[in-house]
Amino acid sequence: MLHPDGSWARAHTARGEHTTTVYQGGPRRLYDLLEEIRWRWLKRGELPVYGAQVTITPEGETTLSRDGWTATL
């Protein structure tokens, strides 16, 4: 995963292994954010973007927010 702010994440699972190694860099922890969304999906049966408020700035920055969760694209 890549983000324009320079953040990146890469995951690798060796053949035959059940454990994934995650590498991340930059100001955001992209894989951690993805895991937070995944666990919410598993726990609640929905993604936090369903029913989220969307704000788009004149520069095109898009922010989704719902119940204390936010993501800026």
Side-chain angles (χ1 to χ4, degrees):
M1 294 182 281
L2 298 172
H3 190 275
D5 69 4
S7 299
W8 60 272
R10 175 174 61 90
H12 174 75
T13 304
R15 185 175 295 216
E17 293 292 323
H18 298 286
T19 303
T20 301
T21 302
V22 177
Y23 305 91
Q24 300 186 82
R28 296 180 192 220
R29 311 306 287 172
L30 298 178
Y31 194 86
D32 296 347
L33 293 170
L34 180 62
E35 277 294 287
E36 178 183 326
I37 293 168
R38 187 176 78 87
W39 280 110
R40 183 172 179 158
W41 181 15
L42 293 172
K43 181 178 177 184
R44 294 187 180 184
E46 63 183 28
L47 293 172
V49 295
Y50 180 76
Q53 177 181 359
V54 179
T55 305
I56 303 173
T57 68
E59 295 78 26
E61 182 177 86
T62 303
T63 301
L64 304 166
S65 60
R66 178 178 172 219
D67 297 333
W69 174 87
T70 63
T72 301
L73 313 170

Coordinates of all heavy atoms in Angstrom, one line a residue:
M1 N 0.9 -1.2 0.0 CA 0.0 0.0 0.0 C 0.9 1.2 0.0 O 2.0 1.2 0.6 CB -0.9 0.0 1.2 CG -1.9 -1.1 1.3 SD -2.9 -1.0 2.8 CE -1.8 -1.7 4.0
L2 N 0.5 2.3 -0.7 CA 1.2 3.5 -0.7 C 0.2 4.7 -0.5 O -1.0 4.6 -0.8 CB 1.8 3.7 -2.1 CG 2.9 2.7 -2.5 CD1 3.3 3.0 -4.0 CD2 4.1 2.8 -1.6
H3 N 0.7 5.7 0.1 CA -0.1 6.9 0.3 C 0.8 8.1 -0.1 O 2.0 8.1 0.0 CB -0.4 7.1 1.8 CG -1.4 8.1 2.1 ND1 -1.1 9.5 2.3 CD2 -2.8 8.1 2.2 CE1 -2.1 10.2 2.5 NE2 -3.2 9.4 2.4
P4 N 0.1 9.2 -0.7 CA 0.9 10.3 -1.1 C 1.8 11.0 -0.1 O 2.7 11.7 -0.4 CB -0.2 11.3 -1.6 CG -1.4 10.5 -2.0 CD -1.3 9.3 -1.0
D5 N 1.4 10.8 1.2 CA 2.3 11.4 2.3 C 3.6 10.7 2.5 O 4.4 11.1 3.4 CB 1.5 11.6 3.6 CG 1.2 10.2 4.3 OD1 1.7 9.2 3.8 OD2 0.5 10.3 5.3
G6 N 3.8 9.6 1.7 CA 5.1 8.9 1.8 C 4.9 7.6 2.7 O 5.9 6.8 2.8
S7 N 3.8 7.4 3.2 CA 3.5 6.2 4.0 C 3.4 5.0 3.1 O 3.0 5.1 1.9 CB 2.2 6.3 4.8 OG 2.3 7.3 5.7
W8 N 3.9 3.8 3.5 CA 3.8 2.6 2.7 C 3.7 1.4 3.7 O 4.1 1.5 4.9 CB 5.0 2.5 1.8 CG 6.3 2.4 2.6 CD1 7.1 3.5 3.0 CD2 7.0 1.3 3.1 NE1 8.2 3.0 3.7 CE2 8.2 1.7 3.8 CE3 6.7 -0.1 3.0 CZ2 9.0 0.8 4.4 CZ3 7.6 -1.0 3.6 CH2 8.7 -0.5 4.3
A9 N 3.2 0.3 3.2 CA 3.1 -0.9 3.9 C 3.2 -2.1 2.9 O 2.7 -2.0 1.8 CB 1.8 -1.0 4.7
R10 N 3.9 -3.1 3.4 CA 4.0 -4.3 2.6 C 3.9 -5.5 3.5 O 4.5 -5.5 4.6 CB 5.4 -4.3 1.9 CG 5.8 -5.6 1.1 CD 7.1 -5.4 0.3 NE 8.2 -5.2 1.2 CZ 9.0 -6.1 1.7 NH1 8.7 -7.4 1.5 NH2 10.0 -5.8 2.4
A11 N 3.2 -6.6 3.1 CA 3.1 -7.8 3.9 C 3.6 -9.0 3.1 O 3.5 -9.0 1.9 CB 1.6 -8.0 4.2
H12 N 4.2 -9.9 3.8 CA 4.8 -11.1 3.1 C 4.5 -12.3 4.0 O 4.8 -12.3 5.2 CB 6.3 -10.9 2.9 CG 7.0 -12.1 2.4 ND1 6.9 -12.5 1.1 CD2 7.7 -13.1 3.0 CE1 7.5 -13.6 0.9 NE2 8.1 -14.0 2.0
T13 N 4.0 -13.3 3.3 CA 3.8 -14.6 4.0 C 4.6 -15.7 3.2 O 4.4 -15.8 2.0 CB 2.4 -15.0 4.0 OG1 1.6 -14.0 4.6 CG2 2.2 -16.3 4.8
A14 N 5.6 -16.3 3.8 CA 6.4 -17.3 3.2 C 5.5 -18.5 2.8 O 4.6 -18.8 3.6 CB 7.6 -17.7 4.1
R15 N 5.9 -19.2 1.8 CA 5.1 -20.4 1.3 C 5.1 -21.4 2.5 O 6.1 -21.7 3.1 CB 5.8 -21.0 0.1 CG 5.1 -22.2 -0.4 CD 5.7 -22.6 -1.7 NE 5.6 -21.5 -2.7 CZ 5.4 -21.7 -3.9 NH1 5.4 -22.9 -4.5 NH2 5.3 -20.7 -4.7
G16 N 3.9 -21.9 2.8 CA 3.7 -22.9 3.8 C 3.6 -22.3 5.2 O 3.4 -23.1 6.2
E17 N 3.7 -21.0 5.4 CA 3.7 -20.4 6.7 C 2.3 -19.8 6.9 O 1.5 -19.6 6.0 CB 4.7 -19.2 6.8 CG 6.1 -19.7 6.7 CD 6.5 -20.4 8.0 OE1 6.0 -20.1 9.1 OE2 7.3 -21.4 7.8
H18 N 1.9 -19.7 8.2 CA 0.6 -19.1 8.6 C 0.8 -17.7 9.2 O -0.2 -17.1 9.6 CB -0.1 -20.0 9.5 CG -0.4 -21.3 8.9 ND1 -1.4 -21.5 8.0 CD2 0.2 -22.5 9.1 CE1 -1.4 -22.8 7.7 NE2 -0.5 -23.4 8.3
T19 N 2.0 -17.2 9.3 CA 2.3 -15.9 9.9 C 2.8 -15.0 8.8 O 3.6 -15.3 8.0 CB 3.4 -16.1 11.0 OG1 3.0 -17.0 12.0 CG2 3.7 -14.8 11.7
T20 N 2.3 -13.8 8.9 CA 2.6 -12.7 7.9 C 3.6 -11.7 8.6 O 3.3 -11.3 9.7 CB 1.4 -12.0 7.4 OG1 0.5 -13.0 6.7 CG2 1.7 -10.9 6.4
T21 N 4.6 -11.3 7.8 CA 5.5 -10.3 8.3 C 5.1 -9.0 7.6 O 4.9 -9.0 6.4 CB 7.0 -10.6 8.0 OG1 7.3 -11.9 8.6 CG2 7.9 -9.5 8.5
V22 N 4.9 -7.9 8.4 CA 4.5 -6.6 7.8 C 5.6 -5.6 8.0 O 6.2 -5.5 9.0 CB 3.2 -6.1 8.6 CG1 2.8 -4.8 8.0 CG2 2.1 -7.1 8.4
Y23 N 5.9 -4.9 6.9 CA 6.9 -3.8 6.9 C 6.1 -2.5 6.6 O 5.3 -2.5 5.7 CB 7.9 -4.1 5.8 CG 8.6 -5.4 5.9 CD1 8.0 -6.5 5.2 CD2 9.7 -5.6 6.6 CE1 8.6 -7.8 5.3 CE2 10.3 -6.8 6.7 CZ 9.8 -7.9 6.0 OH 10.4 -9.1 6.1
Q24 N 6.4 -1.5 7.4 CA 5.7 -0.2 7.2 C 6.7 0.9 7.4 O 7.7 0.8 8.1 CB 4.6 0.0 8.3 CG 3.5 -1.1 8.3 CD 2.4 -0.8 9.2 OE1 1.5 0.0 8.9 NE2 2.4 -1.4 10.4
G25 N 6.4 2.0 6.8 CA 7.2 3.2 6.9 C 6.4 4.5 6.6 O 5.3 4.4 6.1
G26 N 6.9 5.6 7.0 CA 6.2 6.9 6.8 C 5.4 7.3 8.0 O 5.4 6.6 9.0
P27 N 4.7 8.4 7.9 CA 4.0 9.0 9.1 C 2.7 8.2 9.5 O 2.3 8.3 10.6 CB 3.6 10.4 8.6 CG 3.7 10.4 7.1 CD 4.7 9.4 6.8
R28 N 2.1 7.4 8.6 CA 0.9 6.6 8.9 C 1.3 5.2 8.9 O 2.2 4.7 8.2 CB -0.1 6.8 7.8 CG -0.7 8.2 7.7 CD -1.7 8.2 6.6 NE -2.0 9.6 6.3 CZ -3.3 10.0 6.1 NH1 -4.3 9.2 6.1 NH2 -3.5 11.3 5.8
R29 N 0.6 4.4 9.7 CA 0.7 3.0 9.8 C -0.4 2.4 9.0 O -1.4 2.0 9.5 CB 0.7 2.5 11.3 CG 1.6 3.3 12.2 CD 3.0 3.3 11.8 NE 3.7 2.0 12.0 CZ 4.9 1.7 11.5 NH1 5.6 2.6 10.9 NH2 5.3 0.5 11.7
L30 N -0.2 2.3 7.7 CA -1.3 1.9 6.8 C -1.8 0.5 7.1 O -3.0 0.3 7.0 CB -0.8 2.0 5.3 CG -0.4 3.4 4.8 CD1 0.1 3.3 3.4 CD2 -1.5 4.3 5.0
Y31 N -0.9 -0.5 7.3 CA -1.4 -1.8 7.6 C -2.2 -1.9 8.9 O -3.2 -2.5 9.0 CB -0.3 -2.8 7.7 CG -0.7 -4.2 7.6 CD1 -0.9 -4.9 6.4 CD2 -1.0 -5.0 8.8 CE1 -1.3 -6.2 6.3 CE2 -1.4 -6.3 8.7 CZ -1.6 -6.9 7.5 OH -2.0 -8.2 7.4
D32 N -1.8 -1.1 9.9 CA -2.5 -1.0 11.2 C -3.9 -0.5 10.9 O -4.9 -0.9 11.5 CB -1.8 -0.2 12.2 CG -0.4 -0.8 12.6 OD1 -0.2 -2.0 12.3 OD2 0.4 0.0 13.2
L33 N -4.0 0.6 10.1 CA -5.4 1.1 9.8 C -6.2 0.1 9.0 O -7.4 0.0 9.3 CB -5.2 2.4 8.9 CG -4.5 3.6 9.6 CD1 -4.2 4.6 8.5 CD2 -5.4 4.1 10.6
L34 N -5.6 -0.6 8.1 CA -6.4 -1.7 7.4 C -6.9 -2.8 8.4 O -8.0 -3.2 8.3 CB -5.5 -2.3 6.3 CG -6.1 -3.4 5.5 CD1 -7.3 -2.9 4.7 CD2 -5.1 -4.0 4.6
E35 N -6.0 -3.2 9.3 CA -6.4 -4.2 10.3 C -7.5 -3.7 11.2 O -8.4 -4.4 11.6 CB -5.2 -4.6 11.2 CG -4.3 -5.6 10.6 CD -5.0 -6.9 10.4 OE1 -5.2 -7.6 11.4 OE2 -5.4 -7.3 9.3
E36 N -7.5 -2.4 11.6 CA -8.6 -1.8 12.4 C -9.9 -1.9 11.7 O -10.9 -2.3 12.2 CB -8.2 -0.3 12.7 CG -9.3 0.4 13.5 CD -9.0 1.8 13.7 OE1 -7.8 2.2 13.8 OE2 -9.9 2.6 13.7
I37 N -9.9 -1.6 10.4 CA -11.1 -1.7 9.6 C -11.6 -3.2 9.5 O -12.8 -3.5 9.6 CB -10.9 -1.1 8.2 CG1 -10.7 0.4 8.3 CG2 -12.0 -1.4 7.2 CD1 -10.1 1.0 7.0
R38 N -10.6 -4.1 9.3 CA -11.0 -5.5 9.1 C -11.6 -6.0 10.4 O -12.6 -6.7 10.4 CB -9.7 -6.3 8.8 CG -10.0 -7.7 8.4 CD -8.7 -8.5 8.0 NE -7.9 -8.8 9.1 CZ -8.0 -9.9 9.8 NH1 -8.9 -10.8 9.6 NH2 -7.2 -10.2 10.8
W39 N -11.0 -5.7 11.5 CA -11.6 -6.2 12.8 C -12.9 -5.6 13.1 O -13.8 -6.3 13.6 CB -10.6 -5.9 14.0 CG -9.5 -7.0 14.0 CD1 -8.2 -6.8 13.7 CD2 -9.7 -8.3 14.3 NE1 -7.5 -7.9 13.8 CE2 -8.4 -8.9 14.2 CE3 -10.7 -9.2 14.6 CZ2 -8.2 -10.3 14.4 CZ3 -10.5 -10.5 14.9 CH2 -9.2 -11.0 14.7
R40 N -13.1 -4.4 12.7 CA -14.5 -3.8 12.9 C -15.5 -4.5 12.0 O -16.6 -4.8 12.4 CB -14.4 -2.3 12.6 CG -15.8 -1.6 12.8 CD -15.6 -0.1 12.6 NE -16.9 0.5 12.8 CZ -17.1 1.7 13.2 NH1 -16.1 2.5 13.4 NH2 -18.3 2.2 13.3
W41 N -15.1 -4.8 10.8 CA -15.9 -5.5 9.9 C -16.3 -6.9 10.4 O -17.5 -7.3 10.4 CB -15.2 -5.7 8.5 CG -16.0 -6.4 7.5 CD1 -17.3 -6.7 7.4 CD2 -15.4 -6.9 6.2 NE1 -17.6 -7.3 6.2 CE2 -16.5 -7.5 5.5 CE3 -14.1 -6.9 5.7 CZ2 -16.3 -8.0 4.3 CZ3 -14.0 -7.5 4.5 CH2 -15.0 -8.0 3.8
L42 N -15.3 -7.6 11.0 CA -15.6 -8.9 11.6 C -16.5 -8.8 12.8 O -17.3 -9.6 13.0 CB -14.3 -9.6 11.9 CG -13.4 -10.0 10.7 CD1 -12.1 -10.6 11.2 CD2 -14.1 -11.1 9.9
K43 N -16.2 -7.8 13.6 CA -17.0 -7.7 14.9 C -18.4 -7.2 14.7 O -19.3 -7.8 15.3 CB -16.2 -6.7 15.8 CG -16.9 -6.5 17.1 CD -16.1 -5.5 18.0 CE -16.8 -5.2 19.3 NZ -16.0 -4.2 20.1
R44 N -18.6 -6.2 13.8 CA -19.9 -5.6 13.6 C -20.6 -6.1 12.3 O -21.8 -5.8 12.1 CB -19.8 -4.1 13.5 CG -19.3 -3.5 14.8 CD -19.4 -2.0 14.7 NE -19.0 -1.3 15.9 CZ -19.1 0.0 16.1 NH1 -19.5 0.8 15.1 NH2 -18.7 0.5 17.2
G45 N -19.9 -6.8 11.5 CA -20.5 -7.3 10.2 C -20.7 -6.2 9.2 O -21.5 -6.3 8.3
E46 N -19.9 -5.1 9.4 CA -20.0 -4.0 8.4 C -18.7 -3.2 8.4 O -17.9 -3.3 9.3 CB -21.2 -3.0 8.8 CG -20.9 -2.4 10.2 CD -22.1 -1.5 10.6 OE1 -23.2 -1.7 10.2 OE2 -21.8 -0.5 11.4
L47 N -18.5 -2.5 7.3 CA -17.4 -1.6 7.2 C -17.7 -0.3 7.8 O -18.8 0.2 7.7 CB -16.9 -1.5 5.8 CG -16.4 -2.8 5.1 CD1 -16.2 -2.5 3.6 CD2 -15.1 -3.2 5.8
P48 N -16.7 0.5 8.4 CA -17.1 1.8 9.0 C -17.4 2.8 7.9 O -18.0 3.8 8.2 CB -15.8 2.1 9.7 CG -14.7 1.3 9.1 CD -15.4 0.1 8.6
V49 N -17.1 2.5 6.6 CA -17.5 3.5 5.6 C -19.0 3.5 5.3 O -19.5 4.5 4.7 CB -16.7 3.3 4.3 CG1 -15.2 3.5 4.5 CG2 -16.9 1.9 3.7
Y50 N -19.7 2.4 5.6 CA -21.1 2.3 5.4 C -21.8 3.4 6.3 O -21.7 3.3 7.5 CB -21.7 0.9 5.7 CG -23.1 0.8 5.5 CD1 -23.7 0.7 4.2 CD2 -24.0 0.8 6.5 CE1 -25.0 0.6 4.0 CE2 -25.4 0.6 6.3 CZ -25.9 0.5 5.0 OH -27.2 0.4 4.8
G51 N -22.5 4.3 5.7 CA -23.1 5.4 6.5 C -22.2 6.5 6.9 O -22.6 7.3 7.8
A52 N -21.0 6.5 6.4 CA -20.0 7.5 6.8 C -20.4 8.9 6.2 O -21.0 9.0 5.1 CB -18.6 7.1 6.4
Q53 N -20.0 10.0 6.9 CA -20.1 11.3 6.4 C -18.9 11.5 5.5 O -17.8 11.1 5.9 CB -20.1 12.3 7.5 CG -20.2 13.7 7.0 CD -20.2 14.7 8.2 OE1 -20.1 14.4 9.3 NE2 -20.1 16.0 7.8
V54 N -19.1 12.1 4.4 CA -18.0 12.4 3.4 C -17.8 13.9 3.3 O -18.7 14.6 3.0 CB -18.3 11.8 2.0 CG1 -17.1 12.1 1.1 CG2 -18.5 10.3 2.2
T55 N -16.5 14.3 3.4 CA -16.2 15.7 3.2 C -15.1 15.8 2.2 O -14.1 15.0 2.3 CB -15.6 16.4 4.5 OG1 -16.6 16.2 5.6 CG2 -15.4 17.8 4.3
I56 N -15.3 16.6 1.2 CA -14.3 16.8 0.1 C -13.9 18.3 0.1 O -14.7 19.1 -0.1 CB -14.8 16.3 -1.3 CG1 -15.3 14.9 -1.2 CG2 -13.8 16.5 -2.4 CD1 -16.0 14.4 -2.4
T57 N -12.6 18.5 0.2 CA -12.1 19.9 0.2 C -11.9 20.3 -1.3 O -11.9 19.5 -2.2 CB -10.7 20.0 0.8 OG1 -9.7 19.3 0.0 CG2 -10.7 19.4 2.3
P58 N -11.8 21.6 -1.5 CA -11.6 22.1 -2.9 C -10.3 21.5 -3.5 O -10.3 21.4 -4.8 CB -11.4 23.6 -2.7 CG -12.2 23.9 -1.5 CD -11.9 22.7 -0.6
E59 N -9.4 21.1 -2.7 CA -8.2 20.5 -3.3 C -8.3 19.0 -3.6 O -7.5 18.3 -4.1 CB -7.0 20.6 -2.3 CG -6.6 22.0 -2.0 CD -7.5 22.8 -1.1 OE1 -8.2 22.2 -0.3 OE2 -7.6 24.0 -1.2
G60 N -9.5 18.4 -3.3 CA -9.8 17.1 -3.6 C -9.5 16.1 -2.5 O -9.7 14.9 -2.6
E61 N -9.1 16.6 -1.3 CA -8.9 15.6 -0.2 C -10.2 15.2 0.3 O -11.1 16.0 0.6 CB -8.1 16.4 0.9 CG -7.8 15.5 2.1 CD -7.0 16.2 3.1 OE1 -7.6 16.9 4.0 OE2 -5.7 16.1 3.1
T62 N -10.4 13.9 0.4 CA -11.7 13.3 0.8 C -11.5 12.7 2.2 O -10.6 11.9 2.5 CB -12.1 12.2 -0.2 OG1 -12.1 12.8 -1.5 CG2 -13.4 11.6 0.2
T63 N -12.4 13.0 3.1 CA -12.4 12.4 4.5 C -13.7 11.7 4.7 O -14.8 12.3 4.5 CB -12.2 13.5 5.5 OG1 -10.9 14.2 5.3 CG2 -12.2 13.0 6.9
L64 N -13.6 10.5 5.2 CA -14.8 9.7 5.6 C -14.8 9.6 7.1 O -13.7 9.4 7.7 CB -14.7 8.3 5.0 CG -14.6 8.2 3.5 CD1 -14.2 6.8 3.1 CD2 -15.9 8.6 2.9
S65 N -15.9 9.8 7.8 CA -16.0 9.7 9.2 C -17.3 9.1 9.7 O -18.3 9.3 9.1 CB -15.8 11.1 9.9 OG -16.8 12.0 9.4
R66 N -17.2 8.3 10.8 CA -18.3 7.7 11.4 C -18.0 7.2 12.7 O -17.0 6.4 12.9 CB -18.8 6.5 10.5 CG -20.0 5.8 11.1 CD -20.4 4.7 10.2 NE -21.4 3.9 10.9 CZ -21.5 2.6 10.8 NH1 -20.7 1.9 10.0 NH2 -22.5 1.9 11.4
D67 N -18.7 7.5 13.7 CA -18.6 7.0 15.1 C -17.2 7.1 15.6 O -16.6 6.1 16.2 CB -19.0 5.5 15.2 CG -20.5 5.3 14.9 OD1 -21.3 6.3 15.1 OD2 -20.9 4.2 14.4
G68 N -16.5 8.2 15.4 CA -15.1 8.4 15.9 C -14.1 7.8 15.0 O -12.9 8.0 15.3
W69 N -14.4 7.2 13.9 CA -13.5 6.6 13.0 C -13.4 7.6 11.8 O -14.4 8.1 11.4 CB -13.9 5.3 12.5 CG -13.1 4.7 11.4 CD1 -12.0 4.0 11.5 CD2 -13.3 4.9 10.0 NE1 -11.4 3.6 10.3 CE2 -12.2 4.2 9.3 CE3 -14.2 5.5 9.2 CZ2 -12.1 4.1 8.0 CZ3 -14.1 5.4 7.8 CH2 -13.0 4.7 7.2
T70 N -12.1 7.9 11.4 CA -12.0 8.8 10.2 C -10.9 8.2 9.3 O -9.9 7.5 9.8 CB -11.6 10.2 10.6 OG1 -10.3 10.2 11.2 CG2 -12.6 10.9 11.4
A71 N -11.0 8.5 8.0 CA -10.0 8.1 7.1 C -9.9 9.2 6.0 O -11.0 9.7 5.5 CB -10.3 6.8 6.4
T72 N -8.7 9.7 5.7 CA -8.5 10.7 4.7 C -7.8 10.2 3.5 O -6.8 9.5 3.7 CB -7.8 11.9 5.3 OG1 -8.5 12.5 6.4 CG2 -7.6 13.0 4.3
L73 N -8.4 10.4 2.4 CA -7.8 9.8 1.1 C -7.2 10.9 0.3 O -7.6 12.0 0.3 CB -8.9 9.2 0.3 CG -9.8 8.2 1.1 CD1 -11.0 7.8 0.2 CD2 -9.0 7.0 1.5

